[in-house]
Amino acid sequence: MTVLRKNLIDGEWLGEAGSRNVNPSNTNDVLGEYASAGPEEAKQAIAAAKAAFPAWSRSGPLARHAVLKKTSDEIMARKDEIGRSLAREEGKTLAEGVGETIRAAQLFDFFAGETLRLSGEMVPSVRPGVGVEMTREGVGVVGLITPWNFPIAIPAWKIAPALAYGNTIVFKPAELVPESAWTIVDILHRAGLPKGVLNLVMGKGSVVGQAMLDSPDINAISFTGSVGTGKRVAAASVEHMRKFQLEMGGKNPLVVLDDADLGTAVDCAINGAYFSTGQRCTASSRLIVTDGIHDRFVDAMKERLDKLVIGDALDAKTQIGPVVDQSQLKQDEDYIAIGRQEGAELAFGGERLERETPGFYLRPALFLGSTNAMRISREEIFGPVANVIRVKDYDEALAVANDTPFGLTSGICTTSLKHATHFKRNSEAGMVMVNLPTAGVDFHVPFGGRKGSSYGPREQGRYAMEFYTTVKTAYTFAG
Ligand code: NAD
């Protein structure tokens, strides 16, 4: 029997089957049917969140702590089941699916703790007898719009701080991954959230997402997704004078210097470029390698690429799952063709693979002989495709690394303290890694980038407070 997942609006599960959720490892496998909200349902969800805000914003830390902690505990207890379902709908491996689910539990746990640590400041006024207090309050109704590539972690790192700081929510997940979104909302609902505090509106971006952008009753929008949609969010938010936060694409460089440990460099490049099928905003898609290590690095990369197991996400042996869907697969293949036309040498992979079940399998691709001016170096591909850019020394490597419209993460593999220190200071990215993959971050520290990758305050850690609260300055004359 096919499951039917409905939207949660004002505490009620509503809606009819509108879309199907297909497993990218086996397109004959359908996870279930999902409601698809229209503009009317979006309006109802926004109205419910607006009505729920006054009480929730004054509910105090204990009520919020209880819901967030209970949610964390249930996610952790069900990590294998939820992680498996995530791998089934998105195509990342079982280990990655479970790892992401554990991350979601950790995020709820972290923000459960933060509810009890909210503080303000009290200072003397410059006027005699007057006291000044600075406090933080929830912003109001927040719209959360999320992409498909981290189906549970990204919703968790938005929903948890939004609730912790007293906001109410209209949550619109990506169409491709509704099961993880539904699961997290179901857990929060059963954990005891009052009606209207969290509303789920699954559906099309152009319909339900657009209705959220157009609403004067959404006070802030946190968006993660592509640059194109991010610009729409920005324009609509300025129109409504609302707060907004954008996390978008990346074209992240991994620099490998002559003095790098070769094993570490190859581990970082294979993980950063190809794990999660390269579908991470933090993926290292540009491998910038100095002359002295270039040939050894390339040989070792080809050897490792040849051993990677590409297959069904649910098979425990699989290291690289399928691409998420047909249209992303086409985008990857189009960029592989563009790279060849531009004169880069396709040194490994790039072809479709057949497996026992019909799915979107692509052999990870490595280009050599590319320049930083090529489109494959400048545009986000968002698949298992990376290109090596050969440079003469550290100075050229840094210049190439920074020559990009994006600025999310960057990495360097080196045993030189001098170069590592210089790179950390001079890399134009929001997150910098030394002898670590460009992807893979902690949950208790800020996440975000610069330039075309991000806009607005950072997400995660205590920095999340910047976006999800607004400051009030109150003056009191005691007489
Ligand atoms: P997308 O922009 O197509 O969609 C993101 C979300 O926006 C989806 O929920 C979609 O339905 C919604 N949307 C689409 N049109 C809309 C509209 N007109 N109004 C409102 N909402 C609308 O992105 P995607 O393909 O789901 O995700 C991939 C992108 O996300 C990549 O560019 C990737 O780099 C980026 N990403 C960034 C980060 C980060 O933190 N920087 C993290 C993960 C993914």
Side-chain angles (χ1 to χ4, degrees):
M1 203 182 73
T2 319
V3 294
L4 170 60
R5 305 295 200 200
K6 299 183 177 183
N7 282 317
L8 184 68
I9 299 174
D10 204 13
E12 302 287 330
W13 294 105
L14 303 170
E16 304 300 324
S19 73
R20 287 175 353 136
N21 186 357
V22 175
N23 175 353
S25 300
N26 176 5
T27 53
N28 293 326
D29 175 31
V30 177
L31 279 83
E33 306 261 4
Y34 296 79
S36 191
E40 264 320 301
E41 282 121 314
K43 277 188 191 153
Q44 286 166 19
I46 295 164
K50 189 176 177 184
F53 178 69
W56 180 247
S57 65
R58 295 189 188 104
S59 59
L62 210 53
R64 296 179 210 161
H65 178 271
V67 169
L68 296 176
K69 183 75 178 80
K70 217 169 157 187
T71 299
S72 169
D73 291 346
E74 179 169 341
I75 294 173
M76 199 57 125
R78 293 173 54 196
K79 66 180 177 4
D80 293 323
E81 170 220 332
I82 297 172
R84 186 180 171 81
S85 155
L86 194 166
R88 191 173 156 217
E89 78 173 342
E90 200 268 353
K92 61 181 67 179
T93 65
L94 214 41
E96 289 168 336
V98 173
E100 189 184 326
T101 305
I102 293 171
R103 174 57 54 101
Q106 291 165 331
L107 285 156
F108 278 103
D109 189 49
F110 177 86
F111 284 105
E114 287 304 285
T115 61
L116 301 169
R117 279 188 282 271
L118 196 58
S119 61
E121 279 183 84
M122 193 177 235
V123 297
S125 165
V126 294
R127 287 170 284 172
V130 174
V132 188
E133 293 155 45
M134 287 157 278
T135 51
R136 286 183 179 269
E137 298 177 358
V139 178
V141 177
V142 298
L144 307 180
I145 302 178
T146 56
W148 49 262
N149 65 327
F150 284 96
I152 197 162
I154 293 179
W157 80 52
K158 294 184 192 296
I159 292 173
L163 292 176
Y165 298 122
N167 301 281
T168 55
I169 299 173
V170 179
F171 168 37
K172 190 246 162 291
E175 295 95 302
L176 285 174
V177 290
E179 181 63 23
S180 300
W182 183 89
T183 302
I184 205 171
V185 170
D186 174 54
I187 294 171
L188 279 155
H189 178 58
R190 286 188 290 96
L193 274 182
K195 73 182 182 115
V197 171
L198 171 63
N199 301 275
L200 172 69
V201 280
M202 300 179 283
K204 285 196 165 57
S206 56
V207 178
V208 66
Q210 193 61 45
M212 289 165 68
L213 302 193
D214 294 341
S215 171
D217 290 329
I218 291 197
N219 306 103
I221 291 192
S222 178
F223 167 84
T224 301
S226 62
V227 174
T229 315
K231 285 183 177 168
R232 281 171 171 262
V233 174
S237 296
V238 169
E239 183 66 28
H240 290 287
M241 301 285 274
R242 74 160 76 91
K243 209 170 176 181
F244 64 99
Q245 172 185 58
L246 312 174
E247 290 297 344
M248 301 168 291
K251 198 70 204 174
N252 310 295
L254 176 71
V255 169
V256 178
L257 296 185
D258 288 354
D259 61 23
D261 176 89
L262 186 63
T264 303
V266 172
D267 283 349
C268 289
I270 293 284
N271 176 324
Y274 304 115
F275 283 9
S276 299
T277 323
Q279 298 172 152
R280 292 187 286 192
C281 50
T282 49
S284 349
S285 45
R286 293 183 299 143
L287 307 174
I288 302 167
V289 185
T290 48
D291 272 335
I293 197 170
H294 178 275
D295 294 354
R296 282 184 294 138
F297 174 77
V298 167
D299 288 347
M301 283 291 287
K302 286 199 264 189
E303 208 174 295
R304 281 285 295 283
L305 277 164
D306 205 31
K307 289 189 189 132
L308 286 178
V309 182
I310 298 125
D312 190 319
L314 300 182
D315 182 336
K317 291 189 292 301
T318 294
Q319 292 171 293
I320 310 279
V323 171
V324 73
D325 73 349
Q326 180 60 43
S327 94
Q328 183 60 49
L329 181 62
K330 180 174 182 312
Q331 178 166 312
D332 298 346
E333 289 186 310
D334 287 351
Y335 272 108
I336 290 166
I338 288 167
R340 297 175 101 155
Q341 281 155 20
E342 287 180 309
E345 176 203 342
L346 184 60
F348 189 93
E351 71 275 14
R352 277 197 203 196
L353 297 171
E354 296 283 321
R355 290 294 178 260
E356 276 173 24
T357 49
F360 308 113
Y361 299 105
L362 181 68
R363 195 186 296 283
L366 182 69
F367 277 107
L368 303 181
S370 56
T371 70
N372 201 44
M374 291 175 175
R375 283 183 64 192
I376 55 167
S377 295
R378 305 208 75 78
E379 297 169 21
E380 186 182 50
I381 301 173
F382 219 54
V385 184
N387 56 296
V388 173
I389 304 170
R390 187 175 184 146
V391 291
K392 61 178 187 306
D393 56 16
Y394 168 74
D395 289 341
E396 189 184 354
L398 176 66
V400 169
N402 284 339
D403 178 10
T404 169
F406 296 105
L408 190 59
T409 60
S410 68
I412 188 166
C413 291
T414 179
T415 49
S416 155
L417 182 60
K418 182 178 148 199
H419 285 140
T421 306
H422 190 271
F423 189 79
K424 279 190 281 185
R425 174 65 191 85
N426 292 284
S427 170
E428 294 167 7
M431 296 172 285
V432 185
M433 315 290 177
V434 178
N435 295 320
L436 288 166
T438 56
V441 296
D442 286 3
F443 61 87
H444 64 311
V445 291
F447 178 98
R450 298 183 185 180
K451 299 198 269 188
S453 290
S454 301
Y455 187 93
R458 291 283 188 266
E459 299 201 80
Q460 301 190 56
R462 300 205 76 193
Y463 282 68
M465 188 194 295
E466 243 2 275
F467 181 74
Y468 290 102
T469 63
T470 181
V471 173
K472 179 171 280 170
T473 313
Y475 296 83
T476 309
F477 178 55

